[in-house]
Amino acid sequence: MNIQAEHRHPSTGPTPYDEVYYPGHVYGLTHPNHLATIAAVYGMQAAPVERCRVLELGCGVGGNLLPMAFQYPNSEFVGVDLSGVTIERGQRNIATLGLSNIKLLHCDIMNVDASFGQFDYIIAHGVYSWVPPAVREKMMMIFKQNLAPRGVCYVSYNAHPFSHLRDMVRDMMRYHTRRLTDMKGKVGQARAILKFLSDGSKANSVHGAVMRDQYNRVLKSPDELLFHDDLDDGAEAFLLHEVAEDASRHGLQYLSDADFSRRYLAGYSEEVRATLQRFPESEFMARDQYQDFIDGNGFRRTLLCHDSISLSRQIDLDFVTRFHLLSTTNPVDPGACVIDDSAMEFENQDGSRVTVTNPLLKAAYLCLGRAWPRALSFGELLDGARALLGGRHADDDEKVLTEAMFILACSGEVSFLLSRPFLLKEASEHPQASLLARRQAQTGPLVTNLLHQTVQLEDDRTRDFLQLLDGARTIDQITAEMTERFGPTIQVDQKDSAGKPADPLLLSTRESVRRSLAMVGKLGLLVA
């Protein structure tokens, strides 16, 4: 990876991110596989994720970029960030994992130029709203200059109309903390003044309702996020059309929102649906802008591409048949009958539920849940559902399944991807967990799975267990080591259906290992 600007360090001094660490996270909607998928929906043929180039502006410690590089060794990844302390930390993480396909550069965005080359995917998450106008202008120039002809750019930013309310309380917090410099004091006083103002406002007034809502938001925000995002003096929000028009001025066009499910209108009134559906294809961005007005949207994840690309906004019913499908759906009652027309309820990981009566669809839901975290092609899903029904076929099976998956994909209940993720569900005789997850588990409970999601390990014992899944040990050897550490039996804490503590379960260590392997597989942490 030959990048001329590798040692072009910024001339500015320390940044707030040097002094207050901003934790690195994964953002699923920035993943190249997701970006390629959305591009394909609208008629683009983006570069395959297995062999592509990715640039991230404001990469921080590499928390988002590094897992991508780990997943796709034949692709190249470059991240730039103004914080030298953060970049050094990220470079140590790269060295620990022995990755050679990723570079994190201590570099000002203003210094990114043609020598960096072109990238199939450019990511700028949480940067655009927090930099001066000159840097935003430079970012648009980078999106145009460094984006490959069939490339996709992701840029996120604080958005209006919701940010008008957010900015109101930002002004109050920033005024109250204007003479404070340390993070803990500033964040503590920001929450304190907002609590005081929230409690003091009239409960039956619009202003009071807004203050209480904003206080609850601030109360839940991590300290680092509140410090860098809300208390930053320069943070600015935009309307979608402002960013799209700026992009157009640079030879780019609005592709779509990164969250495909925002296109789904079933949750709106009939009048709203009819109005939004009347927008012609040529005014796709305007339709999304009006939807923001209706939703009160406050954060946008916008996709851009070159304006020379011809896009198709018409989505055919059978578009889902071209992708790999995955879902966490599981039956609420595992004993419910699949083969008849009785109602069967399914629940997703996010708690949403759906009731199904059609036997083919009940079987399809079961197939998706049992396969998770593996993705199934449409053909595999159809064959699997028919197999659960004893091989029963009907002439309209494909039509019924297509219509159902179309609705579920549009609503976000079922995810769809252009490229099948690289992972296993079941453990082999020498089970191996992702090296990235094993390294992350050494320092905390939050790890990144092979679907580019953050998952939380249950306890320290699970973190210890993950370290043993290095591909060198057999299941018997893992059981022996766990027995040596924890004894011949292991107590597992349980909760009842209401989420309250229940009597603990006492398992043999061998059974505990078997259950733990199944859990690690379901979390998407086992590699092929």
Side-chain angles (χ1 to χ4, degrees):
M1 195 180 298
N2 182 20
I3 297 177
Q4 301 275 330
E6 181 172 350
H7 301 293
R8 192 183 301 171
H9 298 314
S11 57
T12 57
T15 75
Y17 294 90
D18 289 323
E19 299 166 12
V20 178
Y21 172 60
Y22 194 92
H25 297 290
V26 293
Y27 305 101
L29 296 181
T30 71
H31 194 283
N33 197 4
H34 175 76
L35 301 182
T37 299
I38 299 300
V41 168
Y42 294 112
M44 278 184 67
Q45 187 178 0
V49 65
E50 295 83 3
R51 193 174 294 275
C52 65
R53 296 193 78 222
V54 180
L55 170 67
E56 183 169 22
L57 305 178
C59 66
V61 73
N64 187 43
L65 203 61
L66 191 149
M68 299 177 190
F70 178 79
Q71 288 176 291
Y72 298 98
N74 294 322
S75 293
E76 296 181 4
F77 300 84
V78 178
V80 300
D81 201 279
L82 194 60
S83 169
V85 172
T86 301
I87 287 293
E88 287 177 10
R89 186 177 299 195
Q91 289 170 340
R92 288 196 297 271
N93 292 338
I94 291 172
T96 299
L97 292 169
L99 298 177
S100 60
N101 63 332
I102 178 172
K103 293 278 189 183
L104 299 185
L105 310 177
H106 181 205
C107 174
D108 194 321
I109 288 175
M110 300 298 287
N111 289 334
V112 176
D113 56 25
S115 69
F116 278 67
Q118 290 194 323
F119 297 86
D120 302 298
Y121 304 96
I122 298 179
I123 302 164
H125 181 76
V127 179
Y128 196 80
S129 280
W130 293 270
V131 293
V135 181
R136 289 198 291 273
E137 175 73 11
K138 176 64 176 180
M139 289 174 68
M140 284 294 179
M141 294 171 64
I142 293 169
F143 298 160
K144 179 61 180 178
Q145 171 185 266
N146 297 94
L147 190 65
R150 293 185 293 115
V152 178
C153 169
Y154 168 107
V155 56
S156 65
Y157 46 92
N158 280 347
H160 292 313
F162 177 82
S163 284
H164 287 300
L165 306 180
R166 181 173 181 167
D167 287 347
M168 179 180 73
V169 299
R170 280 184 63 243
D171 289 343
M172 298 171 183
M173 291 187 294
R174 284 167 52 232
Y175 175 77
H176 182 67
T177 63
R178 65 194 183 281
R179 295 190 179 91
L180 301 176
T181 55
D182 70 292
M183 189 269 282
K184 286 191 178 298
K186 204 172 184 72
V187 166
Q189 280 301 304
R191 290 197 178 104
I193 189 59
L194 210 53
K195 182 180 188 308
F196 170 73
L197 298 173
S198 173
D199 291 345
S201 60
K202 293 182 179 179
N204 60 350
S205 69
V206 172
H207 180 71
V210 170
M211 293 300 296
R212 272 177 280 286
D213 181 64
Q214 288 292 315
Y215 172 62
N216 288 332
R217 178 186 67 81
V218 166
L219 197 61
K220 296 172 185 175
S221 295
D223 289 356
E224 296 84 359
L225 187 144
L226 183 59
F227 178 79
H228 286 299
D229 291 1
D230 280 76
L231 299 179
D232 185 298
D233 289 338
E236 188 171 349
F238 304 91
L239 288 164
L240 165 63
H241 81 86
E242 294 174 324
V243 175
E245 288 164 7
D246 196 22
S248 177
R249 194 166 51 83
H250 288 82
L252 301 162
Q253 65 176 317
Y254 177 67
L255 174 56
S256 71
D257 192 294
D259 184 355
F260 181 72
S261 67
R262 289 210 69 217
R263 180 177 173 134
Y264 191 56
L265 303 178
Y268 297 95
S269 69
E270 184 176 342
E271 180 183 1
V272 169
R273 287 200 308 273
T275 300
L276 293 178
Q277 287 168 346
R278 280 200 295 269
F279 279 87
E281 183 174 317
S282 59
E283 296 184 24
F284 185 79
M285 184 278 296
R287 194 214 80 147
D288 281 7
Q289 178 64 89
Y290 280 101
Q291 189 176 358
D292 278 2
F293 293 157
I294 295 167
D295 293 344
N297 194 24
F299 191 76
R300 262 222 156 257
R301 302 164 182 87
T302 292
L303 303 187
L304 304 171
C305 65
H306 289 291
D307 60 8
S308 57
I309 298 289
S310 178
L311 299 174
S312 174
R313 304 300 185 182
Q314 184 65 40
I315 298 178
D316 297 327
L317 190 69
D318 65 351
F319 91 95
V320 290
T321 64
R322 305 194 298 272
F323 298 100
H324 295 92
L325 307 171
L326 62 166
S327 175
T328 57
T329 182
N330 280 300
V332 174
D333 176 11
C337 184
V338 179
I339 61 174
D340 63 15
D341 293 329
S342 61
M344 190 171 181
E345 192 174 25
F346 291 84
E347 183 174 29
N348 267 330
Q349 202 170 43
D350 62 4
S352 63
R353 292 191 176 191
V354 62
T355 300
V356 186
T357 57
N358 183 295
L360 180 72
L361 299 184
K362 290 194 287 186
Y365 269 74
L366 282 173
C367 284
L368 286 170
R370 290 173 180 177
W372 175 270
R374 290 187 300 109
L376 301 176
S377 69
F378 184 84
E380 289 170 335
L381 179 59
L382 179 60
D383 290 344
R386 283 171 166 169
L388 283 179
L389 298 177
R392 188 177 76 188
H393 286 56
D395 292 340
D396 64 346
D397 279 353
E398 189 168 343
K399 179 177 181 292
V400 169
L401 188 60
T402 298
E403 291 174 350
M405 290 303 113
F406 174 84
I407 294 172
L408 293 172
C410 289
S411 65
E413 294 291 329
V414 168
S415 300
F416 57 99
L417 292 171
L418 195 61
S419 177
R420 195 192 301 267
F422 300 117
L423 47 76
L424 290 179
K425 175 190 164 189
E426 281 92 18
S428 65
E429 179 56 29
H430 291 77
Q432 182 177 359
S434 154
L435 176 61
L436 172 64
R438 282 186 277 135
R439 291 288 184 266
Q440 291 173 327
Q442 291 174 355
T443 57
L446 299 180
V447 301
T448 303
N449 71 5
L450 294 168
L451 292 173
H452 208 61
Q453 300 169 332
T454 298
V455 296
Q456 183 165 354
L457 303 179
E458 292 179 348
D459 49 36
D460 290 343
R461 186 175 67 235
T462 305
R463 292 169 56 195
D464 288 340
F465 175 75
L466 203 66
Q467 304 307 314
L468 301 179
L469 307 184
D470 58 3
R473 296 171 169 87
T474 66
I475 294 177
D476 285 342
Q477 289 172 326
I478 293 169
T479 301
E481 291 196 41
M482 290 293 286
T483 300
E484 184 177 347
R485 294 186 191 186
F486 300 105
T489 58
I490 291 178
Q491 181 174 297
V492 179
D493 293 333
Q494 294 195 114
K495 293 181 180 180
D496 61 22
S497 58
K500 297 181 179 179
D503 292 337
L505 186 65
L506 198 63
L507 298 174
S508 70
T509 302
R510 178 171 294 278
E511 176 63 14
S512 174
V513 166
R514 187 190 68 78
R515 288 166 59 109
S516 295
L517 282 172
M519 179 269 291
V520 169
K522 278 294 188 182
L523 290 177
L525 299 174
L526 292 180
V527 300

